[in-house]
Amino acid sequence: MRFMPAAPAAITLAVLTALGGLGVMSDALAAPTTAGVSAVTASGGTLSVKLEKVKLANGFELILVEDHRLPLIAFNMWVHAGPRNEAKGQTGFAHLFEHLMFAGTRHIPRGQADKIIDAAGGTDSNGSTDFDRTNYFFTLPSNQLELGLWLKSDMLGYMIDEVDSVSLANQQDVVRNERRQSVENRPYGLTEEAMFQALYPAGHPYRASVIGSHEDIQSIKLEDVKAFARSYYRPNNATLVLAGDFDPAQARQLVEKYFGTLKAGDAVPPVNVAQPKLTEEKRVTVTDRIELPRLDIAWHTSAVFQPGDAELDIAAHVLGGGKSSRLYKTLVYDKQLAQSVQVQQYSLSLGSVFSIEVTARPGKSMADIEKLVDDAVAELSQNPPSPDELARARASIETATLSHLEKVQGLADQINYYNQQAGDPNFIGKDLARYQAVTAAGIRDAVAAQLKKNARVVVLTTPGEKQLAPEVATPPIPAKAAKNERESLNADVAWRKTQPKAGKAKPLSLPDGKRLTLANGLTVIHVANPGLPLVSASLVVRAGQTANASDRPGLSSFTAGMLQQGTQTRTAQQIADEAAALGASLTTGAARDEARIEVGSLKRNFAQSLALLADVALHPAFSEGEIARQQNQRLAALAQQRDQAPAVASVVANRVIYGEGHPLAQAGLGDEASIKATDAGALRQFWSTYYRPDQAALVVAGDISESEVKALAEQLFGGWQRPGTAAPALNTAGPSPAAARVVLVDKPGAPQTALAVVSTGPKAGTADASDIKVQNAALGGLFTSRINTQLREVKGYTYGIYSVYTMNRDSGMFGIRGSVRTDVTGAALVDLFKEVDGMRAKPMGAAELNRVRNAQLLALPGLFDTNRVVASTYASEWALGQPADSITSLPRKYGAVTAASAYKATRTYVDPASLIVVAVGDKAKVLPQLEALGRKPVEIRDAQGAPVKP
């Protein structure tokens, strides 16, 4: 994984495939009004995907999914090996190997593959490791079919040719930094590891965390890597799914060319490991630097697609599937004992894991929480779920299933999942049929048989010192590889050295939003996307943080959060139940410049879903009881925020940049005093002042016509009265930052330092915005950027570090953010500033400019591939006051960027002398390093950004 850890496919499937009600869905899909033909169809009440599976002579599997909705092709390759195939004492090996796959091949030098993908306009480029498999994927424009196959085949067949002691040591550093970031420096990061170690005995392949331990990662030798490649990274143990806009005959021919010549390995023996059986409850306590305790309970359950697996998927939804679930209603809403509840059936080939996770509110009894969880499980083991509960689960899952297939990359990954775990890439119809066959009594019986108190693990995570394993030294990366370190599995051929040329590109077009205005001033934006029967909507209002008074931080966010907590005709629980029954996702929130209410659903349920959104937006109740609940929830969220080093770095950076009294200087949640002081009067006043139709826009994207959108908008929002007074003025003051300095927030014992290196930046709509984005892509915006390449790929200091411009309506910020190993905090900052200086020293060369400009320009279709993203982006552009063509004009603007214009943007907006360094880490170890930098003054602040007195 090169960016952020992704949810394992098995976890996703547990939620996505528990689908019922296919009779209605088949009607929705039977005659799609699609501009480009989709591979997803329904015939005779059965959902299916049009595909073709081919097996080459060397055993390599190819699955072709022809889908012409967008000019994109998803390349999704699964290697059928994961931690279940690791040898004893080599935890994390499969995941480390995943990283090595990106380190270069015989024909593609280290670091070049990612640059080639950038230059081609690639999106969704990454890899991930789960217990049962490792996958590698990217999406390219449809004229780059041959390029994608060249890249993927060289990764599979010729990666081992370039692995040596240097590349291995570098990736060991990177993976260990990933462990520090995602496990050791993350709240509750050690809890899951403790849970799996209690569930599985020593020697079981699922016992350890996928990422492995420092000791095991560092102990892996070069010969181990070669042996793993010989055994598992062979064409007869891999499957490639191509999904998207291509000609199948051409694809088959090219796959034969690029993959057919790879040499097959020995047959991979099956992994046959018995699922452990617990005969008594195991209890484990983990201490962590957290404020809110957490309860985790886990059981061994039926393996994926085996009897009981579907029943427990549904049980997970009934118990903890959102605000309409039993445990949420009891623990979070009614008794207010918990901050959050999550329940899942993690389906795996060697046996699944059913888990319940409850994060407590401050000061609440964990014993009381555990008893209520036990009562809920016992109740479901004795009495079946109600028809309404089953209906809500099936409706929500139906929408999630289709939404997952909306992206061609999601479609490809799902097909690969079925191919490995079910042995049938088009298993989706059979999968859905098994969920149709699930009965309420069957769910009850599965819970009674498998979720027993004497066959579970209970992990209690409590505040205290984080107990990490003894430090494992990080050896220096060798200066060069020794002789004869490399070997080959496949014979070299000259033609592989030449990068394939692109085919003829299709015209680049982006979703075009059509605007109209209702009589009350409400802007309505319609974006047609008839590929699948899905629709998303976003109601955006100019009521964000900039509307907050200086003594009311967090009020905009509090108001938005209250909208789902009851209307004049619906209670909070009725809203949650109705949304779930519609299969709709309803969310509310506030950002710097705007507040939003968003909803997504199947087309057939969209009118009712939008009506629910309208009621939430236009008729909030602001009842005293719900306000008290939200106050408790927000106070607990503040505690969670303080536990997360990157979040603390952002909070402190905002306060330093914007200065005291500015609404953007405060955290979006506000502070403890403002939360406690918020009452119904303040909320109603804010809502009545800022929630008005002439300061709002309704954006609708999906399989819906302009006339349908207009009719719904008139029906549901036409009666929204426009006040007779002028719209209130928002705070347009720019930031008033302190001079350049270093700010340190102490986080004792932290294995990493979270950095935010920030300065003021341009506001939205600046004429050189495209120049800014292109130069930032080179500096720190891309994985292949100068900063990330130096700090991650060359030095091994970090798992990832990036730069970004946050452009608000009236202000902006530039920031470089990431986490680095504690002991190299100072060295990482020295290298970071060198890269900034280098960017300012001279314009980019032609090759770098073309690559980073194309990474913005040619990637555009892949960045607008779901209704939710399209609606959200148009909503953002409207809130920022951008013109109607701000999205469709992007190709022209990016195409006009030159080396000179990008260089001018760098010199204008990136000034090392004005950058403020915010560091959240172990003061005892980090402060001397920061002082040695020579940047003064060095300040100590707390997690809210307030100065700490000496």
Side-chain angles (χ1 to χ4, degrees):
M1 179 70 62
R2 299 179 304 129
F3 300 106
M4 296 178 64
I11 297 178
T12 304
L13 188 74
V15 178
L16 292 181
T17 61
L19 176 60
L22 284 179
V24 182
M25 184 164 67
S26 66
D27 294 338
L29 283 172
T33 57
T34 175
V37 178
S38 171
V40 183
T41 62
S43 177
T46 301
L47 183 69
S48 65
V49 178
K50 183 181 178 181
L51 58 82
E52 176 187 4
K53 182 175 178 178
V54 179
K55 193 166 189 176
L56 306 190
N58 60 6
F60 184 74
E61 290 185 330
L62 169 68
I63 302 172
L64 300 172
V65 184
E66 187 181 3
D67 189 299
H68 299 286
R69 285 175 287 166
L70 289 171
L72 301 170
I73 303 174
F75 298 76
N76 188 288
M77 184 170 72
W78 279 35
V79 174
H80 308 297
R84 72 174 184 175
N85 305 96
E86 292 170 346
K88 184 179 180 180
Q90 293 189 337
T91 63
F93 195 113
H95 176 252
L96 175 64
F97 202 99
E98 174 215 320
H99 278 253
L100 287 166
M101 281 282 278
F102 292 95
T105 72
R106 181 164 187 164
H107 309 107
I108 307 169
R110 180 182 172 192
Q112 289 304 305
D114 290 309
K115 292 182 177 180
I116 291 168
I117 293 168
D118 284 344
T123 54
D124 296 327
S125 178
N126 215 325
S128 71
T129 305
D130 193 15
F131 282 115
D132 293 334
R133 60 93 183 116
T134 310
N135 66 355
Y136 305 90
F137 50 90
F138 51 66
T139 300
L140 296 178
S142 58
N143 66 320
Q144 297 287 7
L145 171 63
E146 188 169 4
L147 176 70
L149 295 174
W150 175 67
L151 289 167
K152 280 281 175 263
S153 64
D154 233 57
M155 287 177 70
L156 181 63
Y158 296 91
M159 158 267 182
I160 198 63
D161 300 51
E162 293 301 299
V163 174
D164 56 26
S165 57
V166 176
S167 59
L168 174 59
N170 174 267
Q171 292 306 312
Q172 284 171 316
D173 282 356
V174 170
V175 170
R176 292 183 62 191
N177 281 320
E178 181 180 354
R179 177 180 170 83
R180 293 182 184 102
Q181 180 171 319
S182 62
V183 177
E184 296 172 357
N185 207 34
R186 180 174 62 87
Y188 314 104
L190 298 175
T191 301
E192 181 179 340
E193 193 168 60
M195 182 178 75
F196 273 82
Q197 289 176 354
L199 278 168
Y200 293 98
H204 194 286
Y206 290 173
R207 174 178 169 81
S209 168
V210 167
I211 202 168
S213 68
H214 284 290
E215 182 179 9
D216 284 0
I217 295 167
Q218 196 61 57
S219 71
I220 292 171
K221 306 301 182 186
L222 187 58
E223 181 51 43
D224 300 327
V225 176
K226 295 177 181 179
F228 199 82
R230 287 192 294 267
S231 297
Y232 301 109
Y233 275 70
R234 309 304 292 269
N236 51 308
N237 195 45
T239 303
L240 175 69
V241 175
L242 296 177
D245 183 29
F246 59 85
D247 173 52
Q250 181 192 24
R252 284 193 298 272
Q253 181 182 16
L254 289 172
V255 168
E256 183 66 49
K257 172 184 176 179
Y258 285 101
F259 288 91
T261 58
L262 302 182
K263 184 179 178 181
D266 294 336
V268 176
V271 179
N272 295 315
V273 180
Q275 185 178 35
K277 293 186 181 297
L278 299 180
T279 57
E280 62 181 5
E281 180 184 79
K282 290 186 178 181
R283 302 188 72 89
V284 179
T285 298
V286 175
T287 56
D288 200 350
R289 293 188 185 91
I290 53 170
E291 294 192 38
L292 306 184
R294 198 174 94 178
L295 171 70
D296 287 78
I297 305 177
W299 294 262
H300 290 293
T301 52
S302 300
V304 60
F305 299 133
Q306 297 305 305
D309 182 44
E311 285 80 0
L312 290 169
D313 278 347
I314 294 288
H317 199 93
V318 170
L319 287 171
K323 294 181 179 180
S324 65
S325 67
R326 293 184 180 185
L327 286 174
Y328 181 91
K329 288 179 178 179
T330 299
L331 294 173
V332 179
Y333 187 80
D334 290 338
K335 297 187 179 298
Q336 300 184 66
L337 296 175
Q339 179 72 355
S340 63
V341 174
Q342 294 186 21
V343 183
Q344 67 176 5
Q345 165 78 347
Y346 183 2
S347 300
L348 294 164
S349 64
L350 302 180
S352 304
V353 174
F354 187 99
S355 63
I356 298 174
E357 171 196 304
V358 183
T359 303
R361 289 271 174 84
K364 301 303 180 182
S365 167
M366 298 305 292
D368 291 346
I369 289 173
E370 185 174 344
K371 183 180 185 305
L372 289 168
V373 170
D374 288 345
D375 290 346
V377 173
E379 169 64 21
L380 191 56
S381 73
Q382 297 169 15
N383 299 299
S386 70
D388 285 346
E389 287 177 313
L390 286 178
R392 288 197 296 265
R394 285 169 174 155
S396 296
I397 294 163
E398 181 180 355
T399 304
T401 300
L402 278 177
S403 298
H404 189 59
L405 304 181
E406 194 175 4
K407 290 174 69 75
V408 287
Q409 191 59 251
L411 172 61
D413 199 61
Q414 194 69 49
I415 295 301
N416 239 333
Y417 179 84
Y418 283 132
N419 184 65
Q420 173 168 317
Q421 300 290 47
D424 177 2
N426 208 358
F427 190 73
I428 190 168
K430 297 175 184 177
D431 187 18
L432 300 178
R434 72 186 182 120
Y435 283 97
Q436 285 183 302
V438 167
T439 65
I443 295 169
R444 175 201 60 200
D445 295 344
V447 171
Q450 300 194 49
L451 306 188
K452 297 178 178 179
K453 288 190 69 174
N454 66 348
R456 68 182 189 177
V457 168
V458 178
V459 181
L460 183 62
T461 308
T462 60
E465 287 299 309
K466 187 187 291 280
Q467 301 298 319
L468 300 178
E471 180 65 25
V472 176
T474 301
I477 297 175
K480 62 179 182 179
K483 291 183 179 180
N484 302 319
E485 283 190 346
R486 300 177 180 179
E487 70 173 59
S488 300
L489 295 177
N490 293 287
D492 193 17
V493 285
W495 55 263
R496 286 190 179 272
K497 299 176 183 178
T498 304
Q499 178 178 328
K501 295 181 179 180
K504 183 179 180 181
K506 295 186 176 181
L508 200 161
S509 63
L510 299 178
D512 189 6
K514 305 299 183 183
R515 294 194 181 195
L516 62 93
T517 305
L518 301 189
N520 59 6
L522 177 67
T523 299
V524 179
I525 304 174
H526 167 246
V527 190
N529 183 25
L532 289 175
L534 296 165
V535 187
S536 292
S538 178
L539 180 68
V540 57
V541 186
R542 291 195 174 107
Q545 279 182 262
T546 51
N548 290 336
S550 59
D551 62 343
R552 290 286 189 177
L555 184 57
S556 61
S557 174
F558 204 137
T559 304
M562 283 297 300
L563 299 180
Q564 290 190 74
Q565 309 311 314
T567 70
Q568 303 300 324
T569 57
R570 291 178 171 96
T571 66
Q573 284 304 297
Q574 286 173 333
I575 292 170
D577 288 350
E578 187 171 339
L582 293 168
S585 58
L586 178 67
T587 61
T588 59
R592 289 176 172 84
D593 289 301
E594 80 279 0
R596 297 191 197 191
I597 309 99
E598 297 188 325
V599 73
S601 74
L602 293 175
K603 178 181 179 179
R604 70 169 186 265
N605 294 334
F606 180 68
Q608 291 170 279
S609 299
L610 190 63
L612 185 60
L613 180 152
D615 189 33
V616 161
L618 305 186
H619 308 110
F622 299 122
S623 71
E624 296 291 350
E626 296 297 343
I627 293 171
R629 286 189 177 89
Q630 278 294 296
Q631 285 173 323
N632 290 334
Q633 190 276 335
R634 295 172 75 81
L635 290 171
L638 276 180
Q640 291 177 307
Q641 182 176 269
R642 291 191 292 268
D643 290 338
Q644 301 171 38
V648 171
S650 292
V651 167
V652 176
N654 287 338
R655 186 161 178 176
V656 174
I657 284 292
Y658 283 98
E660 299 302 321
H662 195 288
L664 297 182
Q666 297 286 346
L669 281 169
D671 55 32
E672 185 173 336
S674 66
I675 291 171
K676 291 180 176 179
T678 300
D679 57 18
L683 292 164
R684 289 193 187 98
Q685 179 64 36
F686 187 92
W687 175 82
S688 62
T689 301
Y690 293 102
Y691 282 68
R692 42 189 291 164
D694 58 326
Q695 296 297 303
L698 174 67
V699 186
V700 180
D703 186 18
I704 188 169
S705 68
E706 185 176 358
S707 60
E708 289 174 307
V709 170
K710 183 177 180 180
L712 283 171
E714 289 282 7
Q715 175 189 344
L716 298 172
F717 298 94
W720 189 4
Q721 294 188 358
R722 176 178 183 170
T725 57
L730 301 175
N731 190 322
T732 60
S736 53
R741 63 194 54 218
V742 176
V743 177
L744 175 61
V745 179
D746 190 18
K747 189 175 177 63
Q752 284 188 315
T753 303
L755 296 174
V757 183
V758 297
S759 68
T760 58
K763 65 180 182 179
T766 182
D768 54 358
S770 295
D771 301 301
I772 293 168
K773 292 176 182 177
V774 169
Q775 68 86 12
N776 183 66
L779 175 63
L782 295 172
F783 178 80
T784 56
S785 69
R786 297 184 184 189
I787 292 176
N788 191 61
T789 296
Q790 179 66 15
L791 269 66
R792 171 179 159 138
E793 297 301 299
V794 176
K795 294 296 183 66
Y797 291 161
T798 180
Y799 177 46
I801 188 163
Y802 302 92
S803 63
V804 66
Y805 285 87
T806 303
M807 299 184 186
N808 308 318
R809 187 179 176 94
D810 297 299
S811 65
M813 180 189 292
F814 169 70
I816 305 170
R817 303 169 192 271
S819 295
V820 299
R821 206 170 69 230
T822 295
D823 65 316
V824 295
T825 301
L829 284 166
V830 169
D831 279 359
L832 184 154
F833 279 103
K834 284 181 180 178
E835 295 302 327
V836 172
D837 289 338
M839 197 77 199
R840 286 173 52 87
K842 61 181 181 180
M844 287 183 278
E848 184 177 25
L849 172 67
N850 288 336
R851 174 175 60 83
V852 298
R853 182 176 55 198
N854 283 349
Q856 309 302 304
L857 172 63
L858 301 182
L860 286 170
L863 299 177
F864 291 91
D865 57 354
T866 68
N867 295 328
R868 184 191 63 79
V869 169
V870 170
S872 181
T873 305
Y874 265 98
S876 293
E877 292 294 289
W878 178 89
L880 293 171
Q882 299 308 293
D885 69 344
S886 64
I887 292 174
T888 55
S889 64
L890 284 174
R892 171 178 57 81
K893 293 178 178 178
Y894 281 132
V897 175
T898 65
S901 65
Y903 181 58
K904 181 181 178 182
T906 304
R907 298 288 300 183
T908 301
Y909 300 110
V910 184
D911 180 8
S914 67
L915 288 171
I916 298 171
V917 175
V918 177
V920 182
D922 189 336
K923 176 183 173 183
K925 296 178 180 178
V926 172
L927 182 57
Q929 299 179 60
L930 296 178
E931 291 175 333
L933 292 175
R935 298 178 70 87
K936 297 180 179 180
V938 178
E939 301 175 348
I940 309 299
R941 300 202 179 201
D942 64 19
Q944 290 75 47
V948 175
K949 295 180 180 180

